[in-house]
Structure formats: structure tokens, C-alpha cells
């Protein structure tokens, strides 16, 4: 039997399968936040034809790939840095900036604090308030910024709350950070999932501010975590040079390079993904909003967070019931400021989402687990 202290990341399928006695191939991961469409059919076919690229070294400058990314993101080629997943770029940036004190808006992804700690720095958290549905009070937040902070870290849209900061609010934050000489690192891993018309990405601001770096990757939107391709966008030329000088050559393998050039131009896949996520996000949010057993927070990414209102039910109860039905959700009790009443899950295809909702509802209403 699993212990309550055990919690799992969306990649921990082998461990889950061993503990619960189920095949990892049978688990539908609502915890990994990966595009339910899987990799693009065009990409699958094209990569097979390009397999011979592994017989040569990639271009050390990754010029063609960076051009594709620049067109896709709407920025200049010189502003693009590529890396072995966004995690490598987070690490490189923190090594270079070497912040003594970082401020992190939380609850959020734990890797930020870990990287700051590895560099010898300390992290403080600015807690998003549940009473405000985990939406940032920008004016109050800006009042807490001061010269003692070297680095501000923001995940936007945020994981696990699925809330977002608009570009106009981000501009206000950057102005204050500029006054206090604070560098801003924005993780936009989930930005492509944000609703159309919601101005979330800070990429246009890199043209005007040199104290911001934006991180992105292909793991979630393009369902390719195994390719390990990430990229950073910044208008700070000195930072670009420092990161490129520090990182290892050929940090991206030839297949990932080829895949990146293909996927950022696959407009059919991009459109289909946005349509699916938009429809399911709205449908599932409306469904959970009608329950009196949970409080759900309005999502802007491809996942949502809810709080259990039933005293007798915990996040672990829901996790246990779902995984025994081969569905994995995220018990959020290990995130800062959250407890054992919070659960996160991502949107899969409609039939899978319906099955998950039925299972969660059974636990909350005291029905029998199947």
C-alpha cells in the first residue's frame, strides 16, 4: 500500500506501475500536462525520413532552427538561445546571474528553488492568495519588490494554479524591477495553451526591456518531452553571449534539431491542439464549477486546479481511486502553500476527461470505487 508521504511527478510511471501493480502502458497521465494529441503525424512521418541526420554533427550555431523559432515566437534571430530542454537553460541562466536572493511567485514548479539553491542562493516566495483565486495582485506585489532581490522568477501561465499574468501587468512588474535592478526570468512553458485573445506572452517586451529572459520548450504543447529541446528569448545581447559561451557545444541532438524545424511550422497541429484544449478547458471548468464538493480555479493553461471541500476526502484519496482506474492525477500537497485538499489534472481527449470526472465525482460523493 502506498504511503501518504509518497507523491509522484507525471514522469514517475514506472514507480506507479510497480506500487499499484498495473502496467505503465495502461496509465493515462493527467499529471504530465502533455498535449493529448501526441506528436504530430507530419512530424512522425518526416522524422522517419530524416533519420540519416544522426550521421552528422548538428550546426553548432543551430541557425536554421533558431530562424524557425524566431519566426514562430515573433522575435529576432539574435534573441534566441537553444538548449537541452528549458531545464538546462534555467540552470545556465542562474549559474550566470548567480543570484544571492531570488523571489518566486508561488505555489509553483520546484526546480526554480532547487537551481537557486545549487548556486548558493536563497529563495523567498510571494504567495498567491487562495482568497483571490490565486490571481496576482500586481500593485501589492510590486510594493514588495526592493534592492535586496536579485532575481524574480515567474511561471506564466503558472503551474499548478493555471492562472496568468497579462502583458500589461508584466510591463508594470518589469518597470519596478528595473528600478531595483532585478532580473526577471519568465517560464512560458504553457503559454501556447492560453486562450486566444489573452495577451500573456512577454516576448514583445524583450524589445524594450533588457532585464527579462523568457524560457520555453516543446515538452508540453508539442508532446515531445523526450526530445529535450528548449529555447530562451531575451533582448539582452550580453546575456545571450554569456549563455552561449558557457553551454556545451551540440547541446541539442540532430533529431531534435530537425524536429524543431518541422513542428514550429505545423500549423494544422497547432490549430487542432488549441481547439481541443480550448473546448475541453471550458467544458470541464463549467462542469466542476457546478459541484458543491469542490472549488475550481479558472484555468488559462491546459490543466486546472481544484480544492476539495468535503472534510472526509483528501487529494490522496482521489489519487488512489483514479490510479486504480489507470488514471493519474497530481496530488498537489507538496507544492508550497497548498495542502492535501488540492488536486491538479490536465485535459486529455473528451472520452478520457469524462472517465476521470466520473471517477473523481464518485470519490467526492462517497460512491464505490470501480
Amino acid at each position: 500500500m502506498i504511503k501518504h508521504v509518497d507523491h509522484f511527478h507525471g514522469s514517475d510511471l514506472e514507480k506507479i506501475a510497480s506500487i499499484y501493480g498495473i502496467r505503465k502502458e495502461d496509465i493515462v497521465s493527467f499529471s504530465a500536462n502533455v498535449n493529448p494529441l501526441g506528436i504530430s503525424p507530419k512530424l512522425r512521418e518526416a522524422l522517419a525520413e530524416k533519420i540519416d541526420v544522426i550521421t552528422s554533427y548538428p550546426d553548432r550555431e543551430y541557425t536554421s532552427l533558431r530562424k524557425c523559432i524566431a519566426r514562430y515566437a515573433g522575435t529576432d534571430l539574435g534573441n534566441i538561445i537553444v538548449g537541452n530542454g528549458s531545464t538546462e537553460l534555467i540552470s545556465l541562466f542562474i549559474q550566470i546571474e548567480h543570484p544571492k536572493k531570488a523571489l518566486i511567485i508561488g505555489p509553483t514548479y520546484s526546480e526554480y528553488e532547487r537551481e537557486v539553491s545549487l548556486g548558493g542562493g536563497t529563495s523567498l516566495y510571494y504567495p498567491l492568495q487562495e482568497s483571490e483565486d490565486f490571481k496576482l495582485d500586481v500593485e501589492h506585489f510590486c510594493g514588495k519588490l526592493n534592492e535586496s532581490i536579485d532575481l524574480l522568477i515567474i511561471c506564466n501561465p503558472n503551474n499548478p494554479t493555471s492562472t496568468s499574468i497579462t502583458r500589461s501587468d508584466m510591463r508594470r512588474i518589469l518597470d519596478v524591477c528595473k528600478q531595483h535592478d532585478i532580473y526577471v526570468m519568465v517560464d512560458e512553458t504553457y503559454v501556447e495553451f492560453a486562450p486566444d485573445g489573452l495577451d500573456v506572452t512577454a516576448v514583445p517586451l524583450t524589445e524594450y526591456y533588457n532585464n527579462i529572459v523568457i524560457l520555453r520548450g516543446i515538452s508540453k504543447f508539442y508532446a515531445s518531452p523526450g526530445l529535450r529541446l528548449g529555447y530562451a528569448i531575451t533582448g539582452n545581447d550580453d546575456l545571450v553571449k554569456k549563455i552561449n559561451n558557457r553551454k556545451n557545444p551540440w547541446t541539442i541532438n540532430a533529431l531534435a534539431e530537425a524536429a524543431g524545424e518541422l513542428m514550429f511550422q505545423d500549423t494544422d497541429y497547432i490549430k487542432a491542439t488549441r481547439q481541443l484544449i480550448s473546448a475541453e478547458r471550458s467544458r470541464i471548468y463549467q462542469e466542476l464549477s457546478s459541484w458543491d464538493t469542490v472549488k475550481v480555479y479558472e484555468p488559462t493553461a491546459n490543466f486546472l486546479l481544484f480544492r476539495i471541500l468535503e472534510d472526509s476526502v483528501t487529494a490522496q484519496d482521489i489519487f488512489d481511486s483514479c490510479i486504480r482506474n489507470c488514471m493519474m492525477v497530481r496530488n498537489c500537497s507538496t507544492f508550497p502553500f497548498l495542502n492535501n485538499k488540492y488536486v491538479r489534472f490536465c485535459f486529455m481527449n473528451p472520452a478520457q476527461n469524462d472517465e476521470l470526472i466520473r471517477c473523481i465525482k464518485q470519490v467526492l460523493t462517497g460512491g464505490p470505487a470501480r
Side-chain angles (χ1 to χ4, degrees), residues 16-155:
I16 291 274
S18 174
I19 291 173
Y20 283 91
I22 54 181
R23 298 194 320 150
K24 71 172 186 176
E25 293 80 10
D26 295 334
I27 299 173
V28 179
S29 181
F30 288 85
S31 177
N33 297 341
V34 171
N35 188 337
L37 294 181
I39 66 171
S40 155
K42 290 182 181 178
L43 178 62
R44 187 187 303 274
E45 181 179 349
L47 271 187
E49 295 175 355
K50 289 180 173 290
I51 190 64
D52 286 342
V53 298
I54 66 174
T55 64
S56 303
Y57 283 100
D59 168 22
R60 288 179 68 110
E61 302 298 323
Y62 296 100
T63 305
S64 180
L65 172 60
R66 288 168 52 239
K67 284 181 179 178
C68 287
I69 294 173
R71 284 194 296 269
Y72 173 76
T75 189
D76 294 331
L77 171 65
N79 294 343
I80 301 293
I81 312 163
V82 293
N84 189 248
S86 59
T87 303
E88 182 197 30
L89 294 170
I90 291 171
S91 179
L92 284 169
F93 172 72
I94 290 177
Q95 287 172 27
I96 289 168
E97 288 302 309
H98 202 63
K100 293 180 180 179
K101 183 185 291 185
L103 180 63
I104 304 172
I105 297 178
T108 196
Y109 182 47
S110 63
E111 188 66 21
Y112 311 135
E113 181 180 359
R114 176 181 176 274
E115 289 294 340
V116 171
S117 177
L118 287 174
T122 59
S123 297
L124 303 175
Y125 280 91
Y126 177 88
L128 297 170
Q129 299 300 312
E130 192 278 337
S131 61
E132 298 176 358
D133 293 342
F134 296 111
K135 295 177 181 178
L136 181 68
D137 182 336
V138 176
E139 289 307 312
H140 183 270
F141 172 70
C142 286
K144 299 298 181 181
L145 298 172
N146 57 66
E147 285 80 3
S148 72
I149 301 165
D150 304 306
L151 174 65
L152 170 62
I153 301 175
I154 303 173
C155 184

Side-chain angles (χ1 to χ4, degrees), residues 323-334:
I323 199 61
R324 294 185 192 285
N325 286 276
C326 296
M327 296 177 289
M328 181 179 174
V329 297
R330 181 67 155 89
N331 175 346
C332 290
S333 59
T334 55

Side-chain angles (χ1 to χ4, degrees), residues 232-289:
I233 304 170
T234 181
N236 189 317
D237 292 339
D238 289 338
L239 179 61
V240 172
K241 292 175 183 176
K242 287 177 182 178
I243 291 180
N244 283 330
N245 288 337
R246 180 179 286 261
K247 72 176 185 177
N248 293 325
W250 303 300
T251 186
I252 300 169
N253 68 64
L255 274 180
E257 178 187 27
E261 293 186 31
L262 293 164
M263 62 178 55
F264 293 121
Q265 302 176 73
D266 192 345
T267 55
D268 291 341
Y269 177 85
I270 294 168
K271 182 179 179 181
T273 297
R274 288 178 172 160
Q275 287 177 340
L276 172 62
I277 296 303
S278 177
E280 288 303 286
R281 176 171 52 218
S282 177
R283 184 176 74 90
I284 300 302
Y285 173 67
Q286 293 300 322
E287 170 65 23
L288 266 66
S289 295

